[in-house]
Amino acid sequence: MENLNVMVVSGSSRENDRFQRMLFRAGIHNIRRCGHIREAEQQLLREPVDLLVCDIQMPDGGGAELIAKVHAGVRRGELADTPMLLWQSAAGKLLQESHVRLAREAGFNYVWVTHPAMDDGECSQFLRQVELAREAMAEAARVNGVPGRLGTRPFSEQEVIEALCSKGNISIDLQPQVRLRDGAVVGAEALARCMHPTRGNIRPSVFLPVVSKLGLDLLLFFHVLSGVIATQQALNEEGVRLPISINASAATLASPNLVREITMRWDKTKLARSLLVIELTENIEPEIGLDLMVALNQLRANGFDIACDDYGIGISSLKMLSAMPFSSLKLDQLFVASMLESSRHYEIVRSSILLGKELNLQVIAEGVESARHVKALREMGCETGQGFGLYRPMAPSRYIELARRAPVECDERSLDS
């Protein structure tokens, strides 16, 4: 932990001093202190940090303003990624939970909250969580090209375009979906990957907006479909028949003749159509609503399954759920990952599972990060989960090996992290 870079942003010099002394006793010496949001923003642009510690109730606009500035810096390409975040506040639980949700919405993957009177023992426990998070980020960087800290030069749009246009730079990973009762792998989600010829993997959050801007969504969809078809054919040779899902936007699904093209390509494999699941990934634009409904109904009538992805994050989710012929409901990871810290998110997850069951939908919880998540979801009646605490996205060859073993037990070491 000696090389951990920390920035403490607080209006209270007394609390600054106290927290810094605890970090020093824990062996951490790379600490910067800021008393104002503007100063913190300027320093973040100059030098990277691993952990940002921020007082929720800063005098100049509140800590929320700094989170918005970091988010804007990432979107502009001035910052490569968000750091880990520790909120400090003596405020009530509701305000703390709201700030945790705010940070997650702004792209902070690791967020904690504590009271200013944290003692040495609590600090040690927290730093252990930070160490586990750093290990997870390092693994993500190795597998998916996700930077583990601020300061890495972002990919330019031109570099992304070069990668997209170069042959062989688009591939897929598969993230297994697990039956929570016994750990058996029951399916997977296909995730598009993009590799730059010299700089390595490009994060989906970077290349997917460029794909959309260039109007290449449909081309990417069929590339992923080809990867899924190849994987399913290999699984079929091993006697394994598990569904794989593909993400598709509303605009992609509303494209003319899309259903006919999907059906034609899939039927050439001689595989059951139920082995392909289409996940609708966004809200419906009014001008494409009817075309989308036609496409989804055609897909269901032809024997393909349809999933409502990221359920709960769009204002039209309930309307979509009532109007579209979905066969499964995927709970957004924002709610699942934070449900153990947020009573509101816990109730949203619980009620969504009940709703899915009443509508005879398969409910899949995304964002399963620990054994505690698994236990809570089981108690709520959720049967299927997906997330880093179960399995990380993996190459198709590794997934094929994994799927050959049935049932597959969850890795208890990862679940306990």
Side-chain angles (χ1 to χ4, degrees), residues 172-179 184-191 224-225 227-236 239-247 266 269 271-279 300 303-307 327-328 330 362-364 384-386 396 399-400 402-404 406:
I172 66 167
D173 276 351
L174 295 164
Q175 185 167 30
Q177 295 167 348
V178 170
R179 189 167 60 211
V185 173
V186 294
E189 178 183 354
L191 304 168
V224 174
L225 178 62
V228 169
I229 286 174
T231 302
Q232 286 288 30
Q233 289 174 321
L235 285 170
N236 187 62
V240 178
R241 294 169 182 82
L242 297 174
I244 297 178
S245 61
I246 299 179
N247 294 311
W266 191 263
T269 69
L271 297 171
R273 293 177 179 177
S274 59
L275 294 177
L276 177 65
V277 182
I278 306 296
E279 294 188 13
R300 283 290 279 149
F304 298 102
D305 281 338
I306 308 295
S327 52
S328 57
K330 298 192 74 176
Q362 179 192 20
V363 179
I364 302 170
T384 309
Q386 177 181 336
Y399 175 74
I400 291 168
L402 180 68
R404 290 174 60 190

Short mmCIF file of all heavy atoms in Angstrom, two decimals, residues 172-179 184-191 224-225 227-236 239-247 266 269 271-279 300 303-307 327-328 330 362-364 384-386 396 399-400 402-404 406:
data_model
loop_
_atom_site.label_atom_id
_atom_site.label_comp_id
_atom_site.label_asym_id
_atom_site.label_seq_id
_atom_site.Cartn_x
_atom_site.Cartn_y
_atom_site.Cartn_z
N ILE A 172 -15.11 -10.87 -29.28
CA ILE A 172 -16.07 -10.91 -28.19
C ILE A 172 -15.47 -11.60 -26.98
O ILE A 172 -14.58 -12.45 -27.11
CB ILE A 172 -17.38 -11.63 -28.59
CG1 ILE A 172 -17.14 -13.12 -28.85
CG2 ILE A 172 -18.06 -10.95 -29.75
CD1 ILE A 172 -18.41 -13.95 -28.94
N ASP A 173 -15.94 -11.21 -25.80
CA ASP A 173 -15.75 -11.95 -24.58
C ASP A 173 -17.12 -12.44 -24.14
O ASP A 173 -18.16 -11.92 -24.59
CB ASP A 173 -15.14 -11.08 -23.48
CG ASP A 173 -13.62 -11.00 -23.57
OD1 ASP A 173 -13.04 -11.76 -24.37
OD2 ASP A 173 -13.03 -10.17 -22.85
N LEU A 174 -17.14 -13.42 -23.28
CA LEU A 174 -18.40 -13.95 -22.76
C LEU A 174 -18.36 -13.89 -21.23
O LEU A 174 -17.41 -14.36 -20.62
CB LEU A 174 -18.61 -15.39 -23.23
CG LEU A 174 -18.79 -15.55 -24.74
CD1 LEU A 174 -18.61 -17.01 -25.15
CD2 LEU A 174 -20.16 -15.05 -25.18
N GLN A 175 -19.40 -13.30 -20.64
CA GLN A 175 -19.50 -13.29 -19.18
C GLN A 175 -20.57 -14.29 -18.76
O GLN A 175 -21.74 -14.15 -19.09
CB GLN A 175 -19.86 -11.91 -18.63
CG GLN A 175 -19.84 -11.89 -17.10
CD GLN A 175 -19.87 -10.50 -16.52
OE1 GLN A 175 -20.43 -9.59 -17.13
NE2 GLN A 175 -19.29 -10.31 -15.35
N PRO A 176 -20.17 -15.34 -18.03
CA PRO A 176 -21.12 -16.38 -17.64
C PRO A 176 -22.25 -15.85 -16.74
O PRO A 176 -22.05 -14.93 -15.95
CB PRO A 176 -20.25 -17.39 -16.89
CG PRO A 176 -18.87 -17.15 -17.40
CD PRO A 176 -18.79 -15.67 -17.64
N GLN A 177 -23.40 -16.48 -16.89
CA GLN A 177 -24.54 -16.26 -16.00
C GLN A 177 -24.71 -17.52 -15.17
O GLN A 177 -24.62 -18.64 -15.71
CB GLN A 177 -25.79 -15.93 -16.81
CG GLN A 177 -25.66 -14.62 -17.56
CD GLN A 177 -26.74 -14.40 -18.60
OE1 GLN A 177 -27.49 -15.33 -18.94
NE2 GLN A 177 -26.83 -13.19 -19.13
N VAL A 178 -24.94 -17.34 -13.88
CA VAL A 178 -24.84 -18.44 -12.92
C VAL A 178 -26.16 -18.65 -12.19
O VAL A 178 -26.83 -17.69 -11.79
CB VAL A 178 -23.71 -18.14 -11.91
CG1 VAL A 178 -23.72 -19.11 -10.75
CG2 VAL A 178 -22.36 -18.17 -12.61
N ARG A 179 -26.53 -19.93 -12.02
CA ARG A 179 -27.65 -20.26 -11.17
C ARG A 179 -27.20 -20.13 -9.72
O ARG A 179 -26.29 -20.84 -9.27
CB ARG A 179 -28.13 -21.68 -11.46
CG ARG A 179 -29.44 -22.06 -10.77
CD ARG A 179 -29.99 -23.34 -11.35
NE ARG A 179 -29.07 -24.45 -11.19
CZ ARG A 179 -28.97 -25.48 -12.03
NH1 ARG A 179 -29.73 -25.53 -13.10
NH2 ARG A 179 -28.11 -26.45 -11.81
N ALA A 184 -24.18 -23.37 -10.93
CA ALA A 184 -24.08 -23.90 -12.29
C ALA A 184 -24.12 -22.76 -13.31
O ALA A 184 -24.90 -21.81 -13.17
CB ALA A 184 -25.21 -24.88 -12.55
N VAL A 185 -23.29 -22.85 -14.33
CA VAL A 185 -23.34 -21.89 -15.43
C VAL A 185 -24.54 -22.23 -16.31
O VAL A 185 -24.68 -23.36 -16.79
CB VAL A 185 -22.04 -21.95 -16.27
CG1 VAL A 185 -22.16 -21.08 -17.52
CG2 VAL A 185 -20.86 -21.50 -15.43
N VAL A 186 -25.41 -21.23 -16.51
CA VAL A 186 -26.65 -21.48 -17.25
C VAL A 186 -26.76 -20.63 -18.52
O VAL A 186 -27.77 -20.67 -19.21
CB VAL A 186 -27.89 -21.21 -16.36
CG1 VAL A 186 -27.95 -22.23 -15.23
CG2 VAL A 186 -27.87 -19.79 -15.80
N GLY A 187 -25.73 -19.88 -18.84
CA GLY A 187 -25.75 -19.05 -20.04
C GLY A 187 -24.63 -18.04 -19.98
O GLY A 187 -23.73 -18.11 -19.12
N ALA A 188 -24.66 -17.07 -20.91
CA ALA A 188 -23.62 -16.05 -20.95
C ALA A 188 -24.12 -14.84 -21.72
O ALA A 188 -25.09 -14.92 -22.48
CB ALA A 188 -22.35 -16.59 -21.59
N GLU A 189 -23.44 -13.72 -21.50
CA GLU A 189 -23.67 -12.51 -22.29
C GLU A 189 -22.45 -12.22 -23.13
O GLU A 189 -21.32 -12.25 -22.62
CB GLU A 189 -23.97 -11.32 -21.38
CG GLU A 189 -24.16 -10.01 -22.14
CD GLU A 189 -24.38 -8.81 -21.24
OE1 GLU A 189 -24.50 -9.00 -20.01
OE2 GLU A 189 -24.42 -7.68 -21.77
N ALA A 190 -22.65 -11.98 -24.43
CA ALA A 190 -21.55 -11.65 -25.32
C ALA A 190 -21.25 -10.16 -25.24
O ALA A 190 -22.16 -9.33 -25.31
CB ALA A 190 -21.91 -12.03 -26.75
N LEU A 191 -19.98 -9.81 -25.08
CA LEU A 191 -19.54 -8.42 -24.94
C LEU A 191 -18.53 -8.10 -26.03
O LEU A 191 -17.54 -8.82 -26.20
CB LEU A 191 -18.92 -8.20 -23.56
CG LEU A 191 -19.82 -8.57 -22.37
CD1 LEU A 191 -19.00 -8.61 -21.08
CD2 LEU A 191 -20.97 -7.59 -22.25
N VAL A 224 -20.68 -9.34 -33.61
CA VAL A 224 -20.87 -10.06 -32.35
C VAL A 224 -21.69 -11.32 -32.59
O VAL A 224 -21.39 -12.39 -32.05
CB VAL A 224 -21.54 -9.15 -31.30
CG1 VAL A 224 -21.86 -9.94 -30.03
CG2 VAL A 224 -20.63 -7.97 -30.96
N LEU A 225 -22.71 -11.20 -33.42
CA LEU A 225 -23.54 -12.38 -33.73
C LEU A 225 -22.70 -13.49 -34.35
O LEU A 225 -22.88 -14.68 -34.01
CB LEU A 225 -24.68 -11.98 -34.68
CG LEU A 225 -25.60 -13.13 -35.12
CD1 LEU A 225 -26.32 -13.75 -33.94
CD2 LEU A 225 -26.61 -12.63 -36.17
N GLY A 227 -19.57 -14.07 -33.80
CA GLY A 227 -18.79 -14.67 -32.71
C GLY A 227 -19.64 -15.60 -31.85
O GLY A 227 -19.17 -16.66 -31.42
N VAL A 228 -20.88 -15.22 -31.61
CA VAL A 228 -21.79 -16.06 -30.82
C VAL A 228 -22.11 -17.34 -31.58
O VAL A 228 -22.14 -18.44 -31.00
CB VAL A 228 -23.07 -15.28 -30.47
CG1 VAL A 228 -24.13 -16.21 -29.89
CG2 VAL A 228 -22.75 -14.15 -29.51
N ILE A 229 -22.36 -17.21 -32.87
CA ILE A 229 -22.66 -18.40 -33.69
C ILE A 229 -21.49 -19.38 -33.64
O ILE A 229 -21.67 -20.60 -33.44
CB ILE A 229 -22.98 -17.99 -35.13
CG1 ILE A 229 -24.38 -17.36 -35.19
CG2 ILE A 229 -22.90 -19.19 -36.07
CD1 ILE A 229 -24.75 -16.79 -36.55
N ALA A 230 -20.27 -18.87 -33.80
CA ALA A 230 -19.09 -19.75 -33.77
C ALA A 230 -18.96 -20.44 -32.41
O ALA A 230 -18.63 -21.64 -32.32
CB ALA A 230 -17.83 -18.94 -34.08
N THR A 231 -19.22 -19.68 -31.34
CA THR A 231 -19.14 -20.25 -29.99
C THR A 231 -20.21 -21.32 -29.78
O THR A 231 -19.92 -22.41 -29.24
CB THR A 231 -19.30 -19.15 -28.93
OG1 THR A 231 -18.28 -18.16 -29.13
CG2 THR A 231 -19.17 -19.72 -27.53
N GLN A 232 -21.43 -21.06 -30.22
CA GLN A 232 -22.51 -22.02 -30.05
C GLN A 232 -22.28 -23.29 -30.87
O GLN A 232 -22.62 -24.40 -30.42
CB GLN A 232 -23.86 -21.39 -30.42
CG GLN A 232 -24.39 -20.38 -29.40
CD GLN A 232 -24.87 -21.04 -28.12
OE1 GLN A 232 -24.38 -22.09 -27.70
NE2 GLN A 232 -25.83 -20.41 -27.45
N GLN A 233 -21.68 -23.14 -32.02
CA GLN A 233 -21.36 -24.34 -32.82
C GLN A 233 -20.31 -25.19 -32.12
O GLN A 233 -20.42 -26.43 -32.11
CB GLN A 233 -20.88 -23.91 -34.21
CG GLN A 233 -22.00 -23.36 -35.09
CD GLN A 233 -21.50 -22.81 -36.41
OE1 GLN A 233 -20.44 -22.18 -36.48
NE2 GLN A 233 -22.25 -23.05 -37.48
N ALA A 234 -19.32 -24.53 -31.51
CA ALA A 234 -18.29 -25.27 -30.76
C ALA A 234 -18.89 -25.94 -29.53
O ALA A 234 -18.55 -27.08 -29.20
CB ALA A 234 -17.16 -24.32 -30.37
N LEU A 235 -19.79 -25.25 -28.84
CA LEU A 235 -20.46 -25.83 -27.68
C LEU A 235 -21.32 -27.02 -28.07
O LEU A 235 -21.36 -28.04 -27.37
CB LEU A 235 -21.33 -24.77 -26.98
CG LEU A 235 -20.60 -23.71 -26.16
CD1 LEU A 235 -21.56 -22.61 -25.74
CD2 LEU A 235 -19.95 -24.32 -24.93
N ASN A 236 -21.98 -26.90 -29.21
CA ASN A 236 -22.86 -27.98 -29.68
C ASN A 236 -22.06 -29.25 -29.94
O ASN A 236 -22.53 -30.37 -29.67
CB ASN A 236 -23.60 -27.53 -30.94
CG ASN A 236 -24.64 -28.54 -31.39
OD1 ASN A 236 -25.59 -28.84 -30.67
ND2 ASN A 236 -24.45 -29.08 -32.59
N GLY A 239 -21.71 -31.12 -26.94
CA GLY A 239 -22.97 -31.54 -26.33
C GLY A 239 -23.51 -30.56 -25.31
O GLY A 239 -24.35 -30.92 -24.49
N VAL A 240 -23.07 -29.29 -25.36
CA VAL A 240 -23.51 -28.26 -24.42
C VAL A 240 -24.46 -27.31 -25.13
O VAL A 240 -24.14 -26.79 -26.20
CB VAL A 240 -22.31 -27.47 -23.85
CG1 VAL A 240 -22.79 -26.37 -22.92
CG2 VAL A 240 -21.35 -28.40 -23.14
N ARG A 241 -25.60 -27.07 -24.53
CA ARG A 241 -26.59 -26.17 -25.11
C ARG A 241 -27.05 -25.17 -24.06
O ARG A 241 -27.94 -25.45 -23.27
CB ARG A 241 -27.77 -26.97 -25.69
CG ARG A 241 -27.35 -27.82 -26.88
CD ARG A 241 -28.42 -28.81 -27.31
NE ARG A 241 -27.96 -29.64 -28.42
CZ ARG A 241 -27.20 -30.72 -28.28
NH1 ARG A 241 -26.84 -31.11 -27.07
NH2 ARG A 241 -26.79 -31.41 -29.33
N LEU A 242 -26.40 -24.01 -24.05
CA LEU A 242 -26.71 -22.93 -23.13
C LEU A 242 -26.93 -21.65 -23.92
O LEU A 242 -26.19 -21.38 -24.88
CB LEU A 242 -25.56 -22.72 -22.14
CG LEU A 242 -25.22 -23.88 -21.20
CD1 LEU A 242 -23.97 -23.56 -20.41
CD2 LEU A 242 -26.39 -24.18 -20.27
N PRO A 243 -27.91 -20.82 -23.55
CA PRO A 243 -28.19 -19.60 -24.31
C PRO A 243 -27.08 -18.55 -24.14
O PRO A 243 -26.44 -18.47 -23.09
CB PRO A 243 -29.51 -19.10 -23.72
CG PRO A 243 -29.52 -19.67 -22.33
CD PRO A 243 -28.84 -21.00 -22.43
N ILE A 244 -26.87 -17.77 -25.19
CA ILE A 244 -25.95 -16.64 -25.16
C ILE A 244 -26.72 -15.41 -25.63
O ILE A 244 -27.43 -15.47 -26.64
CB ILE A 244 -24.72 -16.87 -26.04
CG1 ILE A 244 -23.90 -18.06 -25.52
CG2 ILE A 244 -23.84 -15.62 -26.08
CD1 ILE A 244 -22.69 -18.39 -26.38
N SER A 245 -26.57 -14.31 -24.90
CA SER A 245 -27.30 -13.09 -25.25
C SER A 245 -26.40 -12.07 -25.95
O SER A 245 -25.18 -12.05 -25.73
CB SER A 245 -27.93 -12.47 -24.00
OG SER A 245 -26.92 -12.11 -23.07
N ILE A 246 -27.04 -11.24 -26.76
CA ILE A 246 -26.36 -10.17 -27.50
C ILE A 246 -27.06 -8.85 -27.20
O ILE A 246 -28.28 -8.77 -27.26
CB ILE A 246 -26.39 -10.42 -29.02
CG1 ILE A 246 -25.69 -11.72 -29.38
CG2 ILE A 246 -25.74 -9.27 -29.77
CD1 ILE A 246 -25.72 -12.00 -30.88
N ASN A 247 -26.28 -7.82 -26.93
CA ASN A 247 -26.85 -6.49 -26.71
C ASN A 247 -27.22 -5.84 -28.04
O ASN A 247 -26.47 -5.95 -29.02
CB ASN A 247 -25.85 -5.58 -25.98
CG ASN A 247 -25.58 -6.07 -24.58
OD1 ASN A 247 -26.49 -6.34 -23.82
ND2 ASN A 247 -24.31 -6.18 -24.22
N TRP A 266 -28.91 -17.50 -38.30
CA TRP A 266 -28.96 -18.47 -37.21
C TRP A 266 -29.39 -19.85 -37.71
O TRP A 266 -28.86 -20.87 -37.28
CB TRP A 266 -29.91 -18.00 -36.11
CG TRP A 266 -29.78 -18.82 -34.86
CD1 TRP A 266 -30.56 -19.87 -34.49
CD2 TRP A 266 -28.77 -18.70 -33.87
NE1 TRP A 266 -30.11 -20.41 -33.31
CE2 TRP A 266 -29.01 -19.71 -32.90
CE3 TRP A 266 -27.70 -17.84 -33.67
CZ2 TRP A 266 -28.21 -19.86 -31.77
CZ3 TRP A 266 -26.91 -18.00 -32.55
CH2 TRP A 266 -27.16 -19.00 -31.62
N THR A 269 -27.07 -22.60 -38.80
CA THR A 269 -26.33 -23.40 -37.81
C THR A 269 -27.07 -24.67 -37.44
O THR A 269 -26.47 -25.57 -36.83
CB THR A 269 -26.11 -22.58 -36.53
OG1 THR A 269 -27.38 -22.38 -35.88
CG2 THR A 269 -25.50 -21.22 -36.84
N LEU A 271 -29.06 -24.90 -35.12
CA LEU A 271 -29.21 -24.87 -33.67
C LEU A 271 -30.59 -24.34 -33.28
O LEU A 271 -31.22 -23.60 -34.05
CB LEU A 271 -28.14 -23.99 -33.03
CG LEU A 271 -26.68 -24.43 -33.21
CD1 LEU A 271 -25.74 -23.34 -32.72
CD2 LEU A 271 -26.43 -25.74 -32.47
N ALA A 272 -31.03 -24.68 -32.08
CA ALA A 272 -32.32 -24.18 -31.60
C ALA A 272 -32.27 -22.66 -31.46
O ALA A 272 -31.29 -22.10 -30.98
CB ALA A 272 -32.65 -24.83 -30.26
N ARG A 273 -33.35 -22.01 -31.88
CA ARG A 273 -33.38 -20.55 -31.80
C ARG A 273 -33.38 -20.06 -30.35
O ARG A 273 -32.97 -18.92 -30.09
CB ARG A 273 -34.62 -20.03 -32.53
CG ARG A 273 -34.55 -20.25 -34.05
CD ARG A 273 -35.84 -19.78 -34.71
NE ARG A 273 -35.78 -19.96 -36.16
CZ ARG A 273 -36.78 -19.70 -36.99
NH1 ARG A 273 -37.94 -19.25 -36.49
NH2 ARG A 273 -36.65 -19.88 -38.28
N SER A 274 -33.81 -20.88 -29.43
CA SER A 274 -33.83 -20.49 -28.02
C SER A 274 -32.43 -20.29 -27.44
O SER A 274 -32.29 -19.76 -26.34
CB SER A 274 -34.57 -21.54 -27.19
OG SER A 274 -33.95 -22.81 -27.32
N LEU A 275 -31.39 -20.68 -28.17
CA LEU A 275 -30.02 -20.51 -27.70
C LEU A 275 -29.50 -19.10 -27.96
O LEU A 275 -28.38 -18.76 -27.56
CB LEU A 275 -29.10 -21.52 -28.38
CG LEU A 275 -29.35 -22.99 -28.00
CD1 LEU A 275 -28.42 -23.90 -28.78
CD2 LEU A 275 -29.17 -23.21 -26.51
N LEU A 276 -30.30 -18.26 -28.63
CA LEU A 276 -29.91 -16.86 -28.85
C LEU A 276 -30.90 -15.96 -28.13
O LEU A 276 -32.11 -16.07 -28.30
CB LEU A 276 -29.91 -16.53 -30.35
CG LEU A 276 -29.60 -15.06 -30.69
CD1 LEU A 276 -28.16 -14.71 -30.29
CD2 LEU A 276 -29.81 -14.79 -32.18
N VAL A 277 -30.36 -15.06 -27.32
CA VAL A 277 -31.17 -14.07 -26.60
C VAL A 277 -30.76 -12.68 -27.06
O VAL A 277 -29.56 -12.37 -27.12
CB VAL A 277 -30.98 -14.19 -25.07
CG1 VAL A 277 -31.87 -13.19 -24.34
CG2 VAL A 277 -31.25 -15.61 -24.60
N ILE A 278 -31.75 -11.84 -27.37
CA ILE A 278 -31.48 -10.46 -27.76
C ILE A 278 -31.81 -9.56 -26.57
O ILE A 278 -32.92 -9.59 -26.04
CB ILE A 278 -32.34 -10.03 -28.98
CG1 ILE A 278 -32.14 -11.01 -30.13
CG2 ILE A 278 -31.98 -8.61 -29.39
CD1 ILE A 278 -30.74 -11.05 -30.69
N GLU A 279 -30.82 -8.75 -26.14
CA GLU A 279 -31.03 -7.84 -25.01
C GLU A 279 -31.24 -6.42 -25.51
O GLU A 279 -30.36 -5.84 -26.15
CB GLU A 279 -29.81 -7.86 -24.07
CG GLU A 279 -29.59 -9.18 -23.36
CD GLU A 279 -28.50 -9.07 -22.31
OE1 GLU A 279 -28.11 -7.93 -21.97
OE2 GLU A 279 -28.04 -10.12 -21.82
N ARG A 300 -39.72 -12.92 -31.06
CA ARG A 300 -40.35 -13.85 -30.12
C ARG A 300 -41.19 -14.89 -30.85
O ARG A 300 -41.17 -16.08 -30.50
CB ARG A 300 -41.22 -13.07 -29.12
CG ARG A 300 -40.44 -12.38 -28.04
CD ARG A 300 -39.83 -13.35 -27.06
NE ARG A 300 -40.80 -13.79 -26.06
CZ ARG A 300 -40.81 -14.96 -25.47
NH1 ARG A 300 -39.90 -15.86 -25.79
NH2 ARG A 300 -41.70 -15.27 -24.56
N GLY A 303 -39.21 -17.68 -32.11
CA GLY A 303 -38.59 -18.60 -31.16
C GLY A 303 -37.35 -18.08 -30.46
O GLY A 303 -36.70 -18.82 -29.70
N PHE A 304 -36.97 -16.81 -30.70
CA PHE A 304 -35.82 -16.22 -30.00
C PHE A 304 -36.30 -15.58 -28.70
O PHE A 304 -37.42 -15.07 -28.63
CB PHE A 304 -35.15 -15.15 -30.87
CG PHE A 304 -34.57 -15.67 -32.15
CD1 PHE A 304 -35.25 -15.48 -33.36
CD2 PHE A 304 -33.37 -16.35 -32.16
CE1 PHE A 304 -34.72 -15.96 -34.55
CE2 PHE A 304 -32.84 -16.83 -33.36
CZ PHE A 304 -33.52 -16.64 -34.55
N ASP A 305 -35.47 -15.60 -27.67
CA ASP A 305 -35.81 -14.95 -26.40
C ASP A 305 -35.38 -13.49 -26.42
O ASP A 305 -34.39 -13.13 -27.08
CB ASP A 305 -35.17 -15.68 -25.23
CG ASP A 305 -35.93 -16.95 -24.86
OD1 ASP A 305 -37.13 -17.03 -25.20
OD2 ASP A 305 -35.33 -17.85 -24.25
N ILE A 306 -36.11 -12.65 -25.65
CA ILE A 306 -35.84 -11.22 -25.59
C ILE A 306 -35.68 -10.83 -24.13
O ILE A 306 -36.50 -11.18 -23.28
CB ILE A 306 -37.00 -10.40 -26.20
CG1 ILE A 306 -37.35 -10.89 -27.60
CG2 ILE A 306 -36.65 -8.91 -26.21
CD1 ILE A 306 -36.25 -10.70 -28.61
N ALA A 307 -34.60 -10.09 -23.83
CA ALA A 307 -34.35 -9.64 -22.46
C ALA A 307 -34.48 -8.13 -22.37
O ALA A 307 -34.05 -7.40 -23.28
CB ALA A 307 -32.95 -10.06 -22.01
N SER A 327 -38.91 -12.08 -22.37
CA SER A 327 -38.89 -13.38 -21.70
C SER A 327 -38.03 -13.34 -20.44
O SER A 327 -38.13 -14.22 -19.59
CB SER A 327 -38.36 -14.46 -22.64
OG SER A 327 -37.12 -14.07 -23.21
N SER A 328 -37.17 -12.32 -20.32
CA SER A 328 -36.33 -12.20 -19.12
C SER A 328 -36.10 -10.74 -18.78
O SER A 328 -36.23 -9.84 -19.62
CB SER A 328 -34.99 -12.92 -19.31
OG SER A 328 -34.30 -12.43 -20.43
N LYS A 330 -33.32 -8.19 -16.78
CA LYS A 330 -31.98 -8.07 -16.21
C LYS A 330 -31.93 -6.83 -15.33
O LYS A 330 -32.10 -5.71 -15.81
CB LYS A 330 -30.93 -8.00 -17.32
CG LYS A 330 -30.88 -9.24 -18.19
CD LYS A 330 -29.65 -9.27 -19.08
CE LYS A 330 -28.40 -9.59 -18.28
NZ LYS A 330 -27.20 -9.71 -19.14
N GLN A 362 -37.87 -14.65 -16.44
CA GLN A 362 -36.62 -15.03 -15.79
C GLN A 362 -35.94 -13.75 -15.32
O GLN A 362 -35.79 -12.80 -16.10
CB GLN A 362 -35.69 -15.78 -16.74
CG GLN A 362 -34.37 -16.18 -16.10
CD GLN A 362 -33.32 -16.65 -17.09
OE1 GLN A 362 -33.43 -16.36 -18.29
NE2 GLN A 362 -32.33 -17.36 -16.61
N VAL A 363 -35.52 -13.68 -14.06
CA VAL A 363 -34.86 -12.49 -13.52
C VAL A 363 -33.38 -12.78 -13.36
O VAL A 363 -32.98 -13.75 -12.71
CB VAL A 363 -35.47 -12.08 -12.17
CG1 VAL A 363 -34.76 -10.85 -11.62
CG2 VAL A 363 -36.96 -11.80 -12.32
N ILE A 364 -32.55 -11.92 -13.97
CA ILE A 364 -31.09 -12.06 -13.91
C ILE A 364 -30.54 -10.81 -13.24
O ILE A 364 -30.77 -9.69 -13.71
CB ILE A 364 -30.48 -12.23 -15.31
CG1 ILE A 364 -31.08 -13.45 -16.01
CG2 ILE A 364 -28.96 -12.35 -15.21
CD1 ILE A 364 -30.70 -13.56 -17.48
N THR A 384 -30.88 -16.29 -10.86
CA THR A 384 -29.72 -16.20 -11.76
C THR A 384 -28.96 -14.91 -11.52
O THR A 384 -29.56 -13.85 -11.32
CB THR A 384 -30.17 -16.26 -13.23
OG1 THR A 384 -31.02 -17.39 -13.42
CG2 THR A 384 -28.97 -16.38 -14.16
N GLY A 385 -27.62 -14.99 -11.54
CA GLY A 385 -26.79 -13.81 -11.33
C GLY A 385 -25.67 -13.72 -12.34
O GLY A 385 -25.27 -14.70 -12.98
N GLN A 386 -25.14 -12.51 -12.45
CA GLN A 386 -24.02 -12.23 -13.37
C GLN A 386 -23.20 -11.12 -12.74
O GLN A 386 -23.74 -10.15 -12.23
CB GLN A 386 -24.57 -11.80 -14.73
CG GLN A 386 -23.52 -11.40 -15.76
CD GLN A 386 -24.16 -10.96 -17.08
OE1 GLN A 386 -25.29 -11.34 -17.40
NE2 GLN A 386 -23.45 -10.15 -17.84
N PRO A 396 -13.98 -16.72 -25.60
CA PRO A 396 -14.88 -17.83 -25.91
C PRO A 396 -14.28 -19.21 -25.64
O PRO A 396 -14.98 -20.10 -25.16
CB PRO A 396 -15.17 -17.62 -27.40
CG PRO A 396 -15.05 -16.15 -27.60
CD PRO A 396 -13.92 -15.73 -26.68
N TYR A 399 -14.61 -19.93 -22.03
CA TYR A 399 -16.01 -20.17 -21.67
C TYR A 399 -16.45 -21.57 -22.09
O TYR A 399 -17.18 -22.24 -21.36
CB TYR A 399 -16.90 -19.11 -22.32
CG TYR A 399 -18.38 -19.38 -22.09
CD1 TYR A 399 -18.96 -19.15 -20.84
CD2 TYR A 399 -19.18 -19.92 -23.09
CE1 TYR A 399 -20.30 -19.42 -20.61
CE2 TYR A 399 -20.52 -20.20 -22.87
CZ TYR A 399 -21.07 -19.94 -21.63
OH TYR A 399 -22.40 -20.22 -21.41
N ILE A 400 -16.01 -21.99 -23.25
CA ILE A 400 -16.37 -23.33 -23.73
C ILE A 400 -15.87 -24.39 -22.76
O ILE A 400 -16.58 -25.34 -22.41
CB ILE A 400 -15.82 -23.55 -25.15
CG1 ILE A 400 -16.57 -22.66 -26.15
CG2 ILE A 400 -15.96 -25.03 -25.57
CD1 ILE A 400 -15.92 -22.59 -27.51
N LEU A 402 -15.26 -23.92 -19.60
CA LEU A 402 -16.04 -23.76 -18.37
C LEU A 402 -17.42 -24.42 -18.50
O LEU A 402 -17.88 -25.13 -17.61
CB LEU A 402 -16.20 -22.28 -18.05
CG LEU A 402 -16.99 -21.91 -16.80
CD1 LEU A 402 -16.24 -22.33 -15.55
CD2 LEU A 402 -17.27 -20.41 -16.78
N ALA A 403 -18.07 -24.18 -19.63
CA ALA A 403 -19.44 -24.68 -19.82
C ALA A 403 -19.50 -26.19 -19.96
O ALA A 403 -20.56 -26.79 -19.75
CB ALA A 403 -20.05 -24.02 -21.07
N ARG A 404 -18.39 -26.81 -20.31
CA ARG A 404 -18.37 -28.28 -20.43
C ARG A 404 -18.56 -28.95 -19.08
O ARG A 404 -19.01 -30.09 -19.01
CB ARG A 404 -17.03 -28.73 -21.04
CG ARG A 404 -16.87 -28.37 -22.52
CD ARG A 404 -15.49 -28.70 -23.00
NE ARG A 404 -15.19 -30.13 -22.85
CZ ARG A 404 -13.98 -30.67 -23.01
NH1 ARG A 404 -12.96 -29.89 -23.29
NH2 ARG A 404 -13.81 -31.95 -22.88
N ALA A 406 -20.54 -29.37 -15.78
CA ALA A 406 -21.88 -29.05 -15.30
C ALA A 406 -22.25 -29.96 -14.13
O ALA A 406 -22.10 -31.18 -14.23
CB ALA A 406 -22.90 -29.20 -16.42
#
